[in-house]
Amino acid sequence: MNEGEKPRKPRAPSNEMPLYPTEAQIARAVLGDRAKDWKRIAKVLEDKEGLPKINELMGGFWPAVVAFFYGWQCVPISGGIPEPKSKWED
């Protein structure tokens, strides 16, 4: 931040992210300034941890990426992505 510049409020990337962002958009949203490391990190997470792969036609499905990282960090998602409802529930 430069002298005299007002601090900016952090913005949640999920509020501005398209439903199917490009891999570059996902990299910036997840890693910020370290986005250049995304391909290497994503490969490991896809192969060993279950990160959803990028769909060649549509791009990455942002809600699935967010859900993966919340689950991977054992953080419950509250209200952002609905839990699937059982067909046996009313």
Side-chain angles (χ1 to χ4, degrees), residues 31 34 37-46 51 69:
L31 294 178
R34 297 181 10 220
D37 299 330
W38 174 248
K39 285 195 180 201
R40 177 182 52 81
I41 292 170
K43 178 73 174 140
V44 172
L45 292 175
E46 287 171 356
L51 175 68
F69 281 107

Side-chain angles (χ1 to χ4, degrees), residues 11-43:
R11 296 182 307 209
S14 61
N15 294 336
E16 299 174 8
M17 188 66 78
L19 192 56
Y20 288 96
T22 65
E23 191 160 11
Q25 288 173 305
I26 293 171
R28 283 190 303 275
V30 173
L31 294 178
D33 292 340
R34 297 181 10 220
K36 65 180 177 12
D37 299 330
W38 174 248
K39 285 195 180 201
R40 177 182 52 81
I41 292 170
K43 178 73 174 140

Side-chain angles (χ1 to χ4, degrees), residues 56-77:
E56 290 182 27
L57 177 63
M58 296 297 292
F61 185 58
W62 184 242
V65 174
V66 171
F68 166 79
F69 281 107
Y70 273 71
W72 191 55
Q73 294 297 314
C74 300
V75 176
I77 297 175

